[in-house]
Amino acid sequence: MSSRLLLMFLFLPVFCTAQQIRGSILSKEGPLPSATIIIDGTGTQTDLSGVFNITLRKTGKVTLKINYVGFAVKTVEIDVRPGLNQLGTILMEPANGVLGEVVVKGASAGSQIRAISIKKNAPGIMEVLAADAIGKLPDRNAAEAVQRIQGVSIERDQGEGRYVSVRGTPIQWSATLLNGNRLPTASLDYTDRRIQMDIFPSELIEYVQLSKALTPDIEGDAIGGSINFITKAAPLSKILRINAAGGYGDQARKGSYNASIVYGDRLLKGKLGFVVSGVIWDRTSAQDRYNMNYDFSNPNVKQSYSITDLQLRDYIAHRKTTGLNAGLEYKFNDRHKIQFKGIYSAFLDGQNVRETYFYFNAKNATITDRASNYFTNLSSGELSGQNVFSGKLSLDWAASMDKSKFRFKDPDYYPMAIFQQAVTYDGLAADGKKYLAMDAPDGKGDVIDAVLPHVSSTTPISADAMKLSQVIMLRSTNWEQNKRFSFNLKYTPAGSLTLKLGGKFIDKDKVVQSPYNVYVAGIQGAAPTMNSLGTERFPYNGGFLSEIGSPYNNVIIDQMALSQLKSLVTPEGISQHHLYPFQVDSATNASGATRYFTGVEKVYALYVMGEYKLSEKLMLTGGIRNEYNKVTFNGSKVVSNAGGKQVTTLTQDNSYNAFLPMLHVKYNVTENDIVRLAYTRTFARADFNNLNPATTQDDANKVIVRGNAGLKPTFANNFDLMAEHYFGGIGMVNAGAFYKKLTDLVYTNQWSETIGGVQYAVSEPDNLQGAWLAGFEAGFAKRFTGLPGFWKGFGIDANYTYTDSKVKIPRFVDNKKIEDNSVIPKQAKHIFNISLQYEYSKFMARIAGNYKGKYLDVIRQSAGPDHYRWYAENFTVDFSASYAITPKIRTFLELNNITNTPVRYYHGTFDRVEQAEWYSIRGQVGVSVKIF
């Protein structure tokens, strides 16, 4: 009897007799998400497709009231009948005297309205970007698309956005989601959790939602914020849109092209909807760069600032990004539907690199030539369903799989040839070291952007003197795959209360294999010279480092033809040039074992949350999310003993629980003024490379490097305050503050350890016990539509974020532990974006600036704070313009980095440069056609 009563209680909501009202809110431009619908004091908002669902306890005639930013309030009289009431579509019209012609004919006003509406009605602190706004700025990948959002900054590769940071926090602390699921990551250089976002074309995106304070139904691995890319879904009616463009990159002196298409429709009387889209972007990027390294481990304090080497690097990269997106939806009826979303993206980065190194202490110079095709792809598929069982109970579920994989392509390895010659250097200090003038004991040295090698005329750099020293063949397979299942059960017992219960299971597989073979020349026979192998013209691309006066033209020579590289590492090339196999890696030998590891990470997440409207002005959203994480890593340990180096396989587990309570308070002071408070607990999982349990013992240099599979995740207690004011037209102003109390911050620990009477320097990732991060942010966006005539087209969008932090970094001096006060690595103190625009009728123009302040890049514990590596402040400016030839055809112009801003890293102080690189301007012109 008790079990029967329990079943009746569980299924009671299914048989409730509340009346359900469903409909869609649209404008002439498409769905209106987050429109507010109120009936007899009961309210709700539309979803991203403009659909709403509201429950009433009575029948009969009622008045439905619809509000949307910039649109006239609309009222609809309806006669509510028992059960489901389907209203169909309701069309909204722009408010007279507020927006008018700007909304109907403007290029991006509608996008701004939708973004503002979603942000305004969100229960938490959120920023939103819509697809048509992305297309109005020269942003060609996902990273560049989100850099305009308040509190967001990016890092670039070859002048293109690659990594995203939120509120100045380290990149790994922000989650990048695709349709609510964290994206997998794979790349050559990194085995951490940073998402390489340049593989993802911006044209595949419908919305971007940045949650700065999480709610329990969002994955909790996001201390900085959670960026959710929502791909295009099946439309409400037929659409066909085509974009095509051609461009030019000044640094590479090469052309580019870009094209995309979107097609969608509804069939079977509207039950079946689909959308397909594709994009291709082909271009050649280039970079001129110089690097310097300093002898910071030298025990002589003065000589620790001496320059060990100067590096001149020329990069030319032929890049192609392709993407496909598909969305399918089938409505069984008004209560039940099933969806599929699939995406495939591929990024081919064909790099040709020429490097000239000057080693001042070793008295030699080298030239490294390398070329390969980096290939990274991403595939994702998700099957989901939405089911409405009654006016009170609904369920949505999703099963998905995604995979990202990095490898070399054509050939499947990365060949490098290193040539060397003896060199005499002039201009050294009295102690025989190379310095900047600011550090030299006798003031004899160079200055920033004019650091010259001063090669003696007796030993000029030449292709005849450069002899082959080493040939390296790097191989790499790096992939990550996720399998997931999630569900969300929603119960609305009353109009003022909504309860949600959900869960997600994630099964992640990580595989890393990065061995390399080293072949030495000159041991078994005479080493060939560069000239004997054949040279090709150095690709100056309009001048190598012309931005600083091309100071290195006298030491840059024609180098080996890159087409020769593949032949050097073939069995015939190795034999012909008498190359000695100095190191040949495998998963079982001592030299290569630690470069192979696998990991399995399983996450079991459950959450419960509620939204309770205490009054017309006050709403609470809160709950608990719990994520149990089980991590298993398989690697190798390499140690030396009397019989030589021994390889031992390791398997280590690291299981932990993340208990994440969250509470949001939203108070509507007036219809257009909102105050938000939030407490959330979030975390950041340790990076894969740090969890790898491999141990490498180097007896020659007395160094031991260990991973730490027992590394703890970093946890944060987050406190947020935000005040928002929304203008009557398009625009808003906001200001807020945030504080994050951090525990178990991950850093690299260094100490000394005696093994068998021999002292080793040991390096291993570990956790710090305490740190904090705090800041404030403000934003202002306004379209001046209330001004007369020509002036109503002007607008401004500006935001600023300030972040500060503190952490104590331990180090040892004379075997005594001391602690240095420091900011958190990778955390920028100042970020701001500003965009000035003019948009009226057929014409739009916009100039946008993006600023990221300096941040601590690398901590060198043993050397101390004066030798830390810093990222210098960076400000880039982009421009775009478009003109509507007809209502359906628009031409556009896009220009990136019009000020040719360099990217710099420095050593302790700005004038002590470590790295400086230039990319020059790039741009394109094109046409956009909206057929349906």
Side-chain angles (χ1 to χ4, degrees), residues 21 99 111 187 194 210 221 229 394 404 421 437 468 517-518 568 617 738 894 909:
I21 302 170
L99 299 173
S111 171
S187 65
R194 290 186 290 181
L210 167 58
D221 181 10
F229 293 97
S394 63
S404 183
Q421 76 168 85
L468 185 64
N517 298 348
V518 179
L568 284 177
K617 293 187 173 184
F738 53 91
E894 302 173 347
T909 185

Side-chain angles (χ1 to χ4, degrees), residues 289-293 309-313 356-359:
R289 165 175 155 186
Y290 74 86
N291 287 44
M292 289 188 294
N293 288 313
D309 58 273
L310 167 68
Q311 307 172 11
L312 308 179
R313 302 187 179 192
T356 304
Y357 289 32
F358 303 95
Y359 292 98

Side-chain angles (χ1 to χ4, degrees), residues 458-477:
T458 62
T459 55
I461 305 297
S462 73
D464 286 323
M466 281 284 174
K467 292 185 177 182
L468 185 64
S469 172
Q470 287 185 352
V471 176
I472 297 174
M473 183 176 67
L474 174 64
R475 292 164 287 149
S476 181
T477 298

